[in-house]
Amino acid sequence: MPALTNKRILLGITGGIAAYKCAELSRLLLKAGAEVRVVMTRAAREFVTPLTMQALTGNRVHLDLLDSEAEAAMGHIELARWADLVLVAPASADFLARCAQGRADDLLATLLLATSAPVALAPAMNQGMWSDPGTQRNLTDIRNRGVLVFGPAEGDQACGDVGPGRMLEPAELLASCAELFAGEPLVGRHLLITGGPTREAIDPVRFLSNHSSGKMAYALAAEAAAAGARVTLVSGPVALPTPDRVNRIDVTSAREMREAVMGQIADADAFIGVAAVADYRPAGIARGKIKKDDASMTIELLRNPDIISEVAELAERPLVVGFAAETGDVAAHGREKRKRKNLDLLFANHATETFNSDEVATTAISADGEIEIPRARKEAVARKMLELIAARLPDKAGQEPAP
Ligand code: C5P
C-alpha cells in the first residue's frame, strides 16, 4: 500500500462521468493515511453529491467561492495553504481550458492560482475532445506552468468511443500521488516521542517534578507530522496545544509514561525521548495532605524506570534518540550518556539556557562524531534534528519501493 501518511490532499472534482470514481479515490487516499478535503465545481455536483463526498472524507465539501459562511470556516486562501497537493480528478476539457487561462471564476480554479503546493490534473474526456488541438494547446500551457498531468489512459469510453481520454483508475492515481512524496524520508514512518515533565505524587496536593515546558518535544512532533510521519506523543503535564495530525497520549508519572511507551513501541521506527522524566518517586503516596507541623521531614525515594534505556535494551529496538540537558561540560556529559544508555543519537544542550525558552542550541552526538546545531527557534532546530534522525533510519523491510 503506498504511503501518504498525514499528507493533506485537496481533491478537486469537475463535471464528467468519471466523477463517480472519486468516491473510491478518496477512500484509497484516506486508507493510505492522507487527510482529504474535497472541492466540487457546479457541474461535478450533477454527477456525485457533496453529501457522498462529505460522508466519505468526514469533512464538509467546499463548493462556492462567494459563500460567506464557508469562507468563515475555512477561506479559499486558507484552503490553498492547507494543501500539500491539489489533485483535480476528473479534470474536464472545460476545466483544462480555464486552468490554461489562469481563470479565477470559481473556487477550484481560484485555489489552483492561490496554492503553492504541487497541482496534478487527471484529465477525463471523450477521445475527440482530448485530441482536439485546443485541448492539446491548453495542456502544453498547463504543463509549462509546472502543473502535473496524470494520464489519461486509452480504452473504452462511457460514450461508446474507444481511444485516449479515460481517467486513470483510482489505484493508479493513488500510486502517482504517493510517488510525489516517496523521496521524503519520514513519510509512512512511526515516530514515538516523549515530552514534558513527569509528576511524582507526594500526597494529594504535592509532587516532585523537573523543569520542562515540552516545547522541544512538541516542535519535533509538529515538524515530523508535517513531514509525513505518523507521530505518537506521550506527554507529561504541559500547557501546550496538541500539534495538528499528532496522536497525543497524556500521562502524569514516569511509570504511566513507561506503560504508554511500551504500549506503542512495537511498530515504532524511532523512539525520541525528550521528556524530563523524574528519576525518583516517593516510596509511598500519603492518603491525606501531609501537615507541616515538623521543622523538617524526610521522604524516602525510589528509582523510577529509565524508559529510554529499557527501549534501547529491547531485542527488536527502533532507532533510539535521547536528549541531555546538562550543566558544565555539556558535550562530555552527552558523550558519556549516549554510551551508557546505548543510544543511536543524543542531543546535548545547556539546561539553564534551554528551559522554557523558544530557542535552543544543541550538539548532536553519535558514534560517528558530533555536529553542532547553532542556536535557533526550536521549530527550526527540530527540522535539523529530524534530518539527522531520518538519515539514520534503516531501510524499512516491506516498504513499497517508488513505482
Ligand atoms: O539521565 P537523563 O535523565 O539525563 O537522560 C536523559 C534522557 O533519558 C532523555 O532522553 C530522557 O527522556 C531519558 N530518560 C528516560 N527515562 C528516565 C530518565 C531519562 O527515558 N527515567
Side-chain angles (χ1 to χ4, degrees):
M1 178 75 175
L4 282 172
T5 322
N6 280 333
K7 290 296 170 191
R8 292 165 163 172
I9 300 191
L10 195 61
L11 175 61
I13 308 178
T14 73
I17 183 58
Y20 82 91
K21 294 185 180 176
C22 280
E24 176 67 359
L25 175 60
S26 62
R27 217 182 52 80
L28 291 180
L29 292 170
L30 291 165
K31 228 174 130 193
E35 244 185 279
V36 179
R37 283 185 176 271
V38 172
V39 180
M40 295 175 80
T41 63
R42 197 162 286 283
R45 287 172 247 168
E46 302 291 335
F47 294 90
V48 276
T49 69
L51 192 61
T52 303
M53 299 311 299
Q54 176 177 314
L56 286 169
T57 61
N59 286 319
R60 214 182 127 177
V61 173
H62 303 268
L63 300 171
D64 294 309
L65 183 58
L66 304 175
D67 174 344
S68 52
E69 205 184 303
E71 284 284 297
M74 194 183 227
H76 64 282
I77 299 296
E78 242 177 309
L79 206 49
R81 285 196 191 125
W82 174 88
D84 293 318
L85 168 68
V86 180
L87 171 66
V88 183
S92 65
D94 178 65
F95 188 76
L96 293 188
R98 290 199 289 128
C99 179
Q101 287 182 22
R103 295 186 72 93
D105 47 7
D106 71 0
L107 178 59
L108 186 56
T110 306
L111 285 170
L112 258 57
L113 298 185
T115 192
S116 54
V119 175
L121 308 182
M125 67 197 71
N126 163 270
Q127 53 83 25
M129 293 168 75
W130 172 256
S131 306
D132 184 85
T135 301
Q136 291 303 314
R137 190 191 56 226
N138 288 337
L139 270 167
T140 307
D141 288 352
I142 288 167
R143 284 202 170 103
N144 285 344
R145 281 185 15 221
V147 172
L148 302 163
V149 179
F150 292 162
E154 287 200 27
D156 292 337
Q157 300 206 298
C159 53
D161 282 4
V162 179
R166 277 173 63 93
M167 188 173 87
L168 291 185
E169 292 304 321
E172 295 172 302
L173 289 175
L174 172 71
S176 300
C177 293
E179 197 181 346
L180 285 178
F181 300 109
E184 296 182 14
L186 289 178
V187 167
R189 302 293 194 146
H190 180 203
L191 267 49
L192 178 58
I193 304 174
T194 64
T198 65
R199 284 180 185 171
E200 312 300 328
I202 298 170
D203 69 15
V205 296
R206 302 184 180 95
F207 55 80
L208 296 176
S209 192
N210 285 322
H211 283 296
S212 175
S213 63
K215 284 178 182 169
M216 191 69 245
Y218 277 60
L220 274 164
E223 297 300 329
R230 180 159 69 84
V231 180
T232 306
L233 175 59
V234 179
S235 176
V238 295
L240 295 172
T242 309
D244 270 358
R245 304 176 268 193
V246 167
N247 171 31
R248 169 171 164 182
I249 302 174
D250 283 317
V251 295
T252 305
S253 67
R255 285 190 295 174
E256 282 172 24
M257 186 171 272
R258 182 202 166 274
E259 288 311 304
V261 165
M262 291 307 165
Q264 298 287 325
I265 200 74
D267 71 347
D269 294 293
F271 173 77
I272 312 176
V274 196
V277 184
D279 293 315
Y280 292 90
R281 66 178 183 278
I285 304 172
R287 273 180 197 279
K289 184 177 173 187
I290 301 169
K291 298 294 168 210
K292 49 178 180 293
D293 300 334
D294 300 328
S296 70
M297 69 180 291
T298 304
I299 301 173
E300 191 193 346
L301 299 177
L302 300 177
R303 259 317 271 271
N304 263 332
D306 190 320
I307 304 167
I308 206 164
S309 298
E310 264 188 62
V311 171
E313 278 164 20
L314 291 173
E316 281 190 37
R317 62 178 250 176
L319 186 85
V320 186
V321 182
F323 276 70
E326 302 287 347
T327 51
D329 190 344
V330 170
H333 288 304
R335 260 174 246 131
E336 182 279 321
K337 191 162 288 182
R338 191 197 72 79
K339 277 210 181 120
R340 178 164 46 83
K341 296 201 176 200
N342 192 17
L343 311 179
D344 297 297
L345 187 61
L346 180 134
F347 295 103
N349 44 50
H350 276 283
T352 47
E353 291 171 14
T354 310
F355 289 150
N356 234 329
S357 170
D358 289 330
E359 293 191 346
V360 64
T362 191
T363 308
I365 304 171
S366 70
D368 316 332
E370 287 165 31
I371 298 170
E372 294 296 330
I373 302 180
R375 192 170 181 83
R377 286 191 64 83
K378 285 181 176 171
E379 292 78 12
V381 173
R383 284 193 287 277
K384 292 236 167 68
M385 290 173 166
L386 288 169
E387 274 173 32
L388 297 175
I389 291 168
R392 285 171 172 75
L393 284 173
D395 284 345
K396 203 168 178 177
Q399 179 136 311
E400 296 257 326

